[in-house]
Amino acid sequence: MGRVEGKVAFVTGAARGQGRSHAIKLAQEGANIIAVDLCAPVTGAPYAMATPEDLDETVHLVEEVGGKIIAHAADVRDLDALTSVVDEGVAMFGRLDIILGNAGVVTYGKLSEMTADRWQEMMDINLTGVWKTVRAGVQQMIAAGNGGSIVLTSSTAGMFAYDNIGHYVTAKHGLVGLTKSLAKELGEHNIRVNSVHPSNVRTPMLDNPGTRKMFRPDLDDPQLEDVVDAFASVHVLNIPWLEPEDISNLILFLVSDDSRFVTGAQYVADAGMLIK
């Protein structure tokens, strides 16, 4: 049997990248999946968002490994939409055991020059949207009385301040406080809450013009091959980035009984970035 056999997981940002990888990994280990993604543009993002076709591909890949899945386009800024999807999934699968607040974006700019709209967009998606993700499903978990596991995707930027993404840093730091507060509040229901803090992960959030330019400001239009050494330079281990599957392996540990007494914790997967 798989490590999450018979459980049901709600995953945001599931159309590609880490969210897709998490959905596939948990399905391989026996879980059924409730998946959402925005599948629409985000105004300030310097890279394209996932598409409905990307979400369809996630459905295909989950089913290919034997999982069952429902998937809908939904915005983490819309609590009613998220709740509706969760309610549909619980009606179909009979329970909810896992919530992965994974969806997020990165945009760029100096805090001293940033528009209020750019700041608010980041807070609404990367911080409030994660709270709404939890809020959309946690009452189902409490009512069922089966306990559960919630994992919020922060970043090394939730533990360290990087230049030119101060609003992102602020939101990701906020997720640490949200994690700890939820862990205290939900402990009596045997619901565990932890955060993960990845370094560079090879997804469209990393491989885009804005991020490449941040690492190679000396070049007009740096490409991925131009930034490999710069990406690797921030790590102790000699790698430029982690793969989404590396984070999924950590997620699997945190939502399985292997971590049954772990809550309120911050788990770093950063190839040594934070100690360098």
Side-chain angles (χ1 to χ4, degrees):
M1 293 180 64
R3 291 162 71 183
V4 287
E5 189 72 32
K7 295 186 177 182
V8 177
F10 175 42
V11 185
T12 63
R16 67 183 185 190
Q18 292 186 53
R20 173 187 282 176
S21 178
H22 301 343
I24 294 169
K25 172 62 71 173
L26 296 187
Q28 287 173 327
E29 293 286 336
N32 293 322
I33 308 297
I34 304 168
V36 300
D37 203 295
L38 176 61
C39 298
V42 169
T43 304
Y47 56 97
M49 296 294 105
T51 65
E53 291 74 22
D54 291 324
L55 189 56
D56 289 343
E57 179 65 10
T58 296
V59 171
H60 169 72
L61 292 170
V62 166
E63 292 177 341
E64 192 172 58
V65 298
K68 296 180 180 178
I69 180 172
I70 67 163
H72 292 290
D75 192 333
V76 294
R77 293 168 287 189
D78 186 342
L79 178 57
D80 289 342
L82 294 178
T83 303
S84 177
V85 175
V86 170
D87 289 349
E88 179 185 343
V90 172
M92 178 176 294
F93 298 131
R95 59 190 296 155
L96 180 65
D97 306 276
I98 297 162
I99 298 175
L100 301 183
N102 167 78
V105 298
V106 66
T107 59
Y108 301 92
K110 294 181 178 180
L111 291 173
S112 58
E113 302 171 355
M114 188 172 294
T115 65
D117 287 345
R118 175 65 57 88
W119 168 272
Q120 195 60 52
E121 179 182 68
M122 179 61 64
M123 296 304 120
D124 288 347
I125 296 172
N126 282 25
L127 182 53
T128 305
V130 177
W131 169 75
K132 288 182 177 180
T133 297
V134 175
R135 181 63 181 84
V138 72
Q139 289 300 320
Q140 294 274 12
M141 298 169 75
I142 292 171
N146 298 317
S149 178
I150 298 170
V151 183
L152 309 184
T153 300
S154 181
S155 167
T156 52
M159 295 180 166
F160 184 86
Y162 297 97
D163 295 336
N164 209 42
I165 54 169
H167 55 331
Y168 181 86
V169 167
T170 301
K172 293 299 189 180
H173 271 71
L175 291 182
V176 174
L178 181 61
T179 295
K180 293 178 178 180
S181 297
L182 285 169
K184 289 187 73 173
E185 181 178 319
L186 298 174
E188 65 179 292
H189 304 290
N190 203 32
I191 297 171
R192 302 180 296 105
V193 189
N194 297 286
S195 59
V196 294
H197 298 259
S199 174
N200 305 333
V201 181
R202 189 165 62 168
T203 71
M205 184 182 285
L206 180 74
D207 185 14
N208 68 74
T211 304
R212 295 196 299 265
K213 185 68 173 177
M214 186 170 71
F215 276 83
R216 289 297 306 270
D218 55 310
L219 298 179
D220 291 335
D221 183 26
Q223 301 302 304
L224 186 61
E225 58 269 21
D226 298 318
V227 295
V228 170
D229 290 343
F231 283 161
S233 71
V234 302
H235 295 149
V236 170
L237 301 181
N238 188 27
I239 59 168
W241 49 64
L242 291 79
E243 297 294 341
E245 294 78 12
D246 296 314
I247 314 306
S248 298
N249 289 333
L250 178 55
I251 293 287
L252 176 61
F253 165 72
L254 288 171
V255 302
S256 73
D257 287 342
D258 291 345
S259 63
R260 62 190 179 133
F261 298 130
V262 176
T263 195
Q266 285 63 62
Y267 272 74
V268 175
D270 72 342
M273 175 186 281
L274 291 175
I275 62 169
K276 187 161 185 178

